[in-house]
Amino acid sequence: MNLVEELDRVPSQYLKKLTKTDELWEVRVTVGSNIYRLLGFFYGTNLLVLAHAFQKKTQKTPRQAIKLAEKRKHEYFERKGRKR
């Protein structure tokens, strides 16, 4: 998480835009032999809002996790009073 916060250009092994989503980004974290993914979106140019996290057990990001993160993104922007 410190890399995402501190670096101007974060390597794609740690932060990657997910294709075929509503502008979601995936933060990749490995702790020991456990792999975690945090899904989020940008609010403005500098704020990455994390909307969902899960332990990754398969190659593919679960569609249900993506849908939940997209739902939370839409709810966030509704509360902020603006669309993306």
Side-chain angles (χ1 to χ4, degrees):
M1 293 302 294
N2 287 339
L3 287 174
V4 173
E5 183 178 353
E6 295 173 3
L7 294 178
D8 290 334
R9 302 204 98 205
V10 179
S12 64
Q13 77 184 78
Y14 302 111
L15 179 67
K16 180 181 170 189
K17 185 174 182 290
L18 293 176
T19 59
K20 300 181 183 178
T21 67
D22 186 19
E23 298 294 316
L24 289 181
W25 290 75
E26 178 182 69
V27 178
R28 300 168 173 197
V29 179
T30 303
V31 179
S33 62
N34 296 312
I35 301 170
Y36 300 95
R37 297 294 187 252
L38 298 96
L39 303 181
F41 54 91
F42 280 94
Y43 182 75
T45 57
N46 294 320
L47 179 62
L48 177 61
V49 179
L50 299 175
H52 183 61
F54 61 96
Q55 185 173 6
K56 190 152 184 180
K57 297 181 180 182
T58 63
Q59 282 293 93
K60 202 168 185 182
T61 302
R63 188 70 199 146
Q64 185 174 352
I66 292 171
K67 285 184 178 188
L68 180 57
E70 288 175 335
K71 178 181 181 245
R72 289 178 176 166
K73 176 185 177 184
H74 291 291
E75 290 170 351
Y76 181 87
F77 281 110
E78 283 178 10
R79 284 193 310 274
K80 291 293 184 182
R82 72 168 227 210
K83 301 284 182 194
R84 295 170 213 71

